[in-house]
Amino acid sequence: MELVTFAPGSGLLAPRAALRSDAPSLDLNGMWRFRLSPAADAPEDFADPGYDDSGWAELPVPSHWPLHGHGAPAYTNVVYPFPVDPPYVPDENPTGDHRRVFDLPEGWSGGRLRFEGADSLARVWLNGHELGFWTGSRLPAEFDAGPWLRPGRNVLAVRVHQWSAASYLEDQDMWWLPGIFRDVTLTRSAADVFVHAMHDGRLSFDGAGGRLDLPELGVAGLEPGVEVRVAAEPWTAETPRLYDATVTFPEETVRLRVGFRTVSIEDGVLLANGRPLLLKGVNRHEFDPRRGRAVTPETMREDVLLMKRHNVNAVRTSHYPPHPAFLDLCDELGLWVIDECDLETHGFERVGWRGNPTDDPRYEGALLDRMCRMVERDKNHPSVVMWSLGNEAGVGRNLGVMAAWTRERDPSRPLHYEGDRSCAHTDVYSRMYASHAEVEAIGRGEEDPLDDPALDARRRAMPFLQCEYAHAMGNGPGGLAEYQELFERYPRLAGGFVWEWIDHGIAHPAHDYAYGGDFGEPLHDGNFVIDGLVFPDRTPSPGLLDLKKAFEPVRITFAAEDGVARVVNGHGFRDLSHLRFTATVEVEGEVVAEHPLEVPPDGGEVRLPGAAAGPGERWLTVRALLAADQPWAPAGHEVAWFQTRLPSDPPAPAGRSAATLSGAEFEDRSGRLTRLFGVEVEGPRLDLWRAPTDNDRYSGLEARWRALGLHRLTHRTDAVERDGGALTVRTRVAPAAGDLGMRATYRWTATDDDGALLLRVDVEPEGDWSDPIPRLGLTMTLPGAAVDRITWFGRGPGEAYPDTGLAARVGRWSATVEELQTPYVRPQENGHRADVRWADLGPFRVSGEPVFGLTARRWSTAELAAARHRPDLTPGDRVHLHLDLAHQGIGTATCGPGPLPRYDLYARPATFTLRFTPS
């Protein structure tokens, strides 16, 4: 039967391009009748036109039935949720029967039924006649409907099986969601066109019987196979120039938007239109928290606009071709695209790749069919600059078959595939999650050699890209700036694609957003599906804001001694004339001067006014803004910025020591602070723990920290000493069951000029601290009612950690305690504001000498660490304040390297000083 056949389908018409046609078309989306069966052997009588489906449920198409109350979603990353025994699948095979009654317009004859996507195998009947079946969930299928159409009432019946032999090809780190999730159409269109448009103006097309017109360039009646040269502006992601064309056939006329561009490789460098192409990309799954992969055109446009506004210039369609409308948007608004085949067999890695379809001759037809259907559908998109054979599918003969066909069909685009380190079938060298050191070695051509000298030499002549890097799961990713610096330094490096665009949290009434295990799946991969640069509702995460900064297409440096800024144009294909530049000088976070800058279109040196020294801490910020509206953002949108500290006059000398610690109350025996400027407080005391981030968990750091007991520190007071107006408290802070510890000495003094209290903390480790520690700082709590809004002078407005926070700039910021939280779908350490000079908490102000890190929450670190979902965090009656000297870096170890060594925090002698002043 079809479920265990290796064939990709039956009754299918030849694949062709996705085109806009004037041929009659009938939209069959909408409400369908639906019945779910637990197994594949439900009676087939529902396909009879006279079948009574009045007792069935209704289901919108496109959709996934588990998101409409029929069954439940399930998430796995690598493993298959069924035994690995191709081509067989379990008897427990959810099967959805769909019925749609439609009326054929008067005079209609002939036509094709076109399905854009259904997961994973679909059988189709029209008026009781079985047209065939197809697999390849994210690819279109067309059937000849003409002989079976009737005037008036027609009945379309579709049976969709969740599991089939094709499911072994679709193990793509996402929710398993069956259903007809893309559009269904009855169309009279049958045309196929392949336009060839090069950046030097060469134009031709394939399309038997057609004639091409491109009026803007004076082309009329161009015949297939004939090449002309026109004066076209090239298409690039920065300048997405498109030309409207039509191809007229005897029965229909199709419309295309043509972009003239050329992709090539020379001397190991990836080129577009003869210039080096640096991909600043993201991986994009199709996802909506309520609709799954049934993404609307409005949401697709929102994605592209967000990408453009955050300096993203490229998308890898992980790990399947997207809805064709998404590629239309990439053409229109400008994104370079790696179009990836609907193929991943990652679960075979768990069984040593035994039986992998990639190397199984019986699956050759299915794999080749998927490649053909992708290329034929998407061949006219100028945004598509590379074809990818698939993802994490091991190695095998079928890759060679796919590559050979694609090269013959479309030699104009390079081929990509990461899973074969030999690059035997590709034109680019691609890796996932290579460390900074490995990326640099590859950039210099010094990577480890292959065993085969010929393949090694071939690979060394290839451009390199990271098809996945900087895993954006939870708090992070770290190391973005260092990766980007390498990409820009070595011509061989063509950039990369951050994993990934969006958190795949499914909207849930109790959890806010659900992830693996929240639907009772016996086998799942937890929150590994929550790994995006935007939250499920498409709110940008701090990681996306950092990525925008790392990807900036303008680089600015400043020499304070002569007041000259150097502006470097980092665009590949346009100058700076679409931008305007401003320079702002701030003192203590307040703007004191702002000037427009005249920057030459090609960049260069610009003298800045107002750079002289003055009182207070002075900062210069240069901003590059859109000078006029663009299709993807309005005028004034910030594209890039640069900030540097200006010379300042020395600060005023500190006040003299006071005789008493007025404003503070201490417990006599322990020396513990109990009240501060009239507010009841607990702490401050030394803190080494943070709620583990996803990167901490997956790197193994959390387990090592818990083994050390850093989450359950004990505090012992060894001495309380009073010396005039000073109070010194000597303590030892250590976890139970071990001999590691920290000597922490707190020394309180007061000043007589502003009533301030000074706290100096000296920390001395004891024992062999061989692992990094989470944080080094102080924690204290205040009554919740005492603190609402916090104003600070330091980096902001968002969070920053040692290797994150590229988007945080020095300024004066203000936020409520609630606004200081970053709402990661799985709660974890978040919200740290870095390099804070002072923060006004309401009852008092705390200042660093010189700076400190600030976090404020209405729940404890223990509560944050225990929470699995956002609603688990309930505000308490205390504000938990963290005043930190240092934090462990974030890294990207959920999938990839941990923090660079310079961002590791090891126990060491340390001193930090804070000043508390009444408000």
Side-chain angles (χ1 to χ4, degrees):
M1 66 182 293
E2 293 91 344
L3 292 179
V4 295
T5 183
F6 293 97
S10 67
L12 293 165
L13 296 171
R16 64 192 182 102
L19 298 165
R20 293 184 292 274
S21 172
D22 67 354
S25 179
L26 194 60
D27 181 358
L28 298 181
N29 292 340
M31 298 304 295
W32 292 42
R33 291 288 186 174
F34 177 77
R35 175 186 69 185
L36 180 64
S37 302
D41 57 357
E44 297 179 3
D45 55 351
F46 80 101
D48 188 289
Y51 182 87
D52 182 7
D53 62 13
S54 59
W56 286 21
E58 286 194 325
L59 182 75
V61 171
S63 74
H64 301 280
W65 68 70
L67 298 183
H68 291 267
H70 306 282
Y75 167 65
T76 62
N77 170 26
V78 174
V79 298
Y80 290 104
F82 47 79
V84 181
D85 183 24
Y88 302 103
V89 294
D91 292 340
E92 296 81 10
N93 189 352
T95 296
D97 291 330
H98 304 67
R99 282 173 52 91
R100 173 76 153 86
V101 177
F102 64 94
D103 290 326
L104 202 65
E106 187 174 350
W108 186 294
S109 64
R112 299 172 172 225
L113 272 170
R114 183 177 178 94
F115 297 83
E116 296 294 344
D119 190 335
S120 74
L121 181 149
R123 297 172 63 191
V124 182
W125 291 263
L126 179 61
N127 294 324
H129 176 80
E130 184 167 3
L131 300 181
F133 79 94
W134 93 95
T135 60
S137 299
R138 269 64 64 175
L139 290 160
E142 286 190 326
F143 299 92
D144 184 4
W148 316 106
L149 288 169
R150 301 173 180 172
R153 182 179 186 270
N154 287 262
V155 178
L156 176 60
V158 183
R159 168 164 287 183
V160 179
H161 302 285
Q162 177 161 12
W163 308 124
S164 69
S167 299
Y168 288 98
L169 308 180
E170 297 177 0
D171 186 25
Q172 289 142 320
D173 183 13
M174 58 186 181
W175 292 98
W176 297 93
L177 288 172
I180 305 172
F181 66 95
R182 287 185 185 163
D183 307 291
V184 183
T185 310
L186 177 65
T187 178
R188 294 256 298 274
S189 174
D192 190 18
V193 171
F194 191 177
V195 173
H196 311 280
M198 314 303 283
H199 81 285
D200 59 5
R202 286 175 290 159
L203 173 67
S204 63
F205 82 103
D206 303 325
R211 297 291 185 273
L212 184 145
D213 296 319
L214 203 162
E216 190 174 353
L217 296 176
V219 177
L222 184 66
E223 296 183 357
V226 176
E227 183 176 279
V228 295
R229 191 178 291 268
V230 294
E233 300 174 35
W235 186 97
T236 74
E238 295 170 3
T239 55
R241 182 67 161 93
L242 294 171
Y243 294 88
D244 291 323
T246 59
V247 180
T248 302
F249 295 89
E251 300 295 328
E252 65 178 302
T253 297
V254 298
R255 294 176 290 115
L256 303 93
R257 306 191 75 186
V258 176
F260 290 77
R261 65 103 188 92
T262 308
V263 185
S264 59
I265 295 170
E266 295 180 18
D267 299 324
V269 178
L270 181 65
L271 305 176
N273 304 339
R275 296 185 180 184
L277 174 56
L278 184 61
L279 301 169
K280 301 176 181 180
V282 295
N283 286 276
R284 175 187 177 269
H285 269 294
E286 292 186 305
F287 186 74
D288 178 275
R290 288 173 174 79
R291 300 175 58 90
R293 287 185 286 280
V295 180
T296 65
E298 294 77 17
T299 298
M300 297 179 214
R301 179 173 288 272
E302 183 181 353
D303 276 346
V304 175
L305 292 176
L306 268 176
M307 291 174 188
K308 294 287 290 186
R309 290 168 184 168
H310 289 86
N311 294 329
V312 171
N313 74 2
V315 172
R316 175 175 172 238
T317 68
S318 52
H319 299 293
Y320 43 83
H323 191 289
F326 179 78
L327 296 179
D328 290 337
L329 290 166
C330 294
D331 294 343
E332 173 193 338
L333 295 170
L335 288 171
W336 309 103
V337 175
I338 295 182
D339 202 358
E340 190 148 273
C341 188
D342 191 5
L343 171 63
E344 181 170 333
T345 65
H346 202 170
F348 283 86
E349 183 180 37
R350 295 295 179 93
V351 297
W353 295 107
R354 292 185 299 276
N356 183 16
T358 306
D359 200 37
D360 186 339
R362 297 174 299 175
Y363 271 107
E364 176 185 312
L367 268 65
L368 181 58
D369 171 78
R370 289 168 182 246
M371 196 71 191
C372 293
R373 284 157 65 194
M374 174 181 70
V375 171
E376 296 295 353
R377 190 197 75 169
D378 298 340
K379 59 199 173 190
N380 292 308
H381 289 283
S383 58
V384 176
V385 293
M386 211 175 294
W387 302 117
S388 178
L389 303 178
N391 182 72
E392 292 177 322
V395 297
R397 64 183 302 277
N398 294 334
L399 294 175
V401 174
M402 298 164 70
W405 179 88
T406 306
R407 284 197 173 95
E408 182 176 355
R409 179 64 175 132
D410 179 26
S412 73
R413 294 176 171 100
L415 296 186
H416 168 273
Y417 178 68
E418 180 273 341
D420 182 359
R421 292 288 181 90
S422 76
C423 300
H425 307 297
T426 68
D427 301 304
V428 296
Y429 177 23
S430 178
R431 289 273 285 108
M432 288 183 183
Y433 306 108
S435 68
H436 297 83
E438 185 179 357
V439 170
E440 180 166 17
I442 294 170
R444 298 169 63 172
E446 297 173 358
E447 66 266 32
D448 293 337
L450 296 169
D451 293 335
D452 185 318
L455 284 175
D456 184 64
R458 181 175 178 272
R459 193 180 73 176
R460 289 181 189 276
M462 292 179 176
F464 173 80
L465 62 87
Q466 284 249 62
C467 66
E468 295 178 22
Y469 79 106
H471 199 252
M473 185 174 175
N475 187 337
L480 289 172
E482 292 83 359
Y483 273 121
Q484 193 61 29
E485 190 278 328
L486 292 171
F487 295 153
E488 294 179 9
R489 190 195 317 170
Y490 295 103
R492 184 189 184 190
L493 304 182
F497 299 82
V498 171
W499 186 269
E500 67 157 308
W501 177 242
I502 189 169
D503 286 341
H504 298 201
I506 291 179
H508 191 281
H511 298 320
D512 196 1
Y513 293 109
Y515 49 76
D518 287 336
F519 296 98
E521 310 101 296
L523 189 67
H524 65 84
D525 285 296
N527 69 316
F528 211 75
V529 77
I530 307 297
D531 52 4
L533 291 162
V534 297
F535 297 131
D537 64 358
R538 286 177 162 75
T539 299
S541 76
L544 181 59
L545 303 181
D546 280 0
L547 192 69
K548 177 184 178 182
K549 181 65 178 166
F551 282 175
E552 284 180 345
V554 181
R555 301 297 186 197
I556 305 169
T557 58
F558 177 66
E561 60 274 9
D562 55 12
V564 171
R566 180 168 179 79
V567 181
V568 177
N569 180 18
H571 294 90
F573 303 91
R574 71 184 311 178
D575 62 21
L576 301 177
S577 58
H578 65 296
L579 301 175
R580 64 179 177 87
F581 291 79
T582 65
T584 302
V585 178
E586 294 176 308
V587 177
E588 299 293 326
E590 298 286 353
V591 175
V592 297
E594 186 167 5
H595 313 277
L597 298 178
E598 295 298 326
V599 176
D602 294 327
E605 293 187 347
V606 182
R607 183 167 296 279
L608 301 183
E617 188 172 327
R618 301 163 62 82
W619 284 83
L620 169 70
T621 304
V622 178
R623 304 171 67 214
L625 313 171
L626 289 180
D629 290 348
Q630 297 289 321
W632 47 271
H637 168 79
E638 184 178 271
V639 173
W641 61 272
F642 165 80
Q643 193 176 56
T644 188
R645 187 170 179 175
L646 297 174
S648 302
D649 291 342
R656 294 176 298 170
S657 296
T660 62
L661 296 173
S662 61
E665 297 179 19
F666 298 88
E667 189 179 77
D668 289 338
R669 291 187 57 191
S670 67
R672 180 173 61 89
L673 180 69
T674 58
R675 297 186 74 82
L676 181 62
F677 305 123
V679 177
E680 178 226 338
V681 299
E682 296 176 2
R685 63 182 190 175
L686 187 69
D687 190 14
L688 306 179
W689 178 243
R690 72 183 183 196
T693 67
D694 287 325
N695 287 296
D696 295 336
R697 294 187 184 105
Y698 282 88
S699 68
L701 272 179
E702 178 191 6
R704 286 146 61 191
W705 291 340
R706 289 187 180 276
L708 289 174
L710 300 186
H711 60 304
R712 47 176 176 80
L713 295 176
T714 63
H715 297 257
R716 185 186 76 214
T717 301
D718 290 338
V720 178
E721 303 166 356
R722 293 187 180 273
D723 180 14
L727 173 68
T728 301
V729 182
R730 304 186 189 279
T731 69
R732 189 175 190 272
V733 181
D739 62 355
L740 296 181
M742 294 274 192
R743 293 284 180 183
T745 301
Y746 307 85
R747 180 173 174 82
W748 291 92
T749 58
T751 63
D752 64 359
D753 56 342
D754 57 0
L757 291 171
L758 300 180
L759 172 61
R760 170 179 166 139
V761 183
D762 294 296
V763 178
E764 184 73 35
E766 291 183 342
D768 182 14
W769 291 81
S770 56
D771 287 316
I773 59 176
R775 79 186 324 146
L776 182 63
L778 302 176
T779 182
M780 60 190 300
T781 71
L782 292 75
V787 183
D788 177 27
R789 177 169 292 275
I790 297 176
T791 300
W792 74 98
F793 175 40
R795 290 174 63 199
E799 70 183 25
Y801 291 83
D803 55 345
T804 73
L806 302 177
R809 66 189 85 180
V810 175
R812 185 176 298 198
W813 313 101
S814 183
T816 65
V817 173
E818 288 69 28
E819 291 167 345
L820 289 171
Q821 315 311 307
T822 303
Y824 294 112
V825 172
R826 173 155 186 167
Q828 56 198 274
E829 167 62 38
N830 73 89
H832 176 265
R833 267 56 180 185
D835 296 335
V836 176
R837 280 74 169 157
W838 56 259
D840 192 330
L841 303 167
F844 57 84
R845 172 184 286 208
V846 58
S847 305
E849 295 189 0
V851 296
F852 64 98
L854 170 70
T855 310
R857 306 186 179 106
R858 297 195 186 275
W859 38 77
S860 68
T861 299
E863 291 168 330
L864 182 59
R868 295 186 67 250
H869 298 89
R870 294 176 184 174
D872 296 343
L873 293 169
T874 303
D877 60 1
R878 307 287 292 177
V879 167
H880 298 259
L881 186 64
H882 296 271
L883 308 171
D884 292 322
L885 176 67
H887 256 270
Q888 166 69 3
I890 297 297
T892 178
T894 50
C895 201
L900 287 164
R902 62 179 173 273
Y903 300 122
D904 282 329
L905 174 62
Y906 286 95
R908 65 186 189 277
T911 297
F912 50 111
T913 302
L914 298 171
R915 171 188 289 261
F916 297 88
T917 310
S919 293

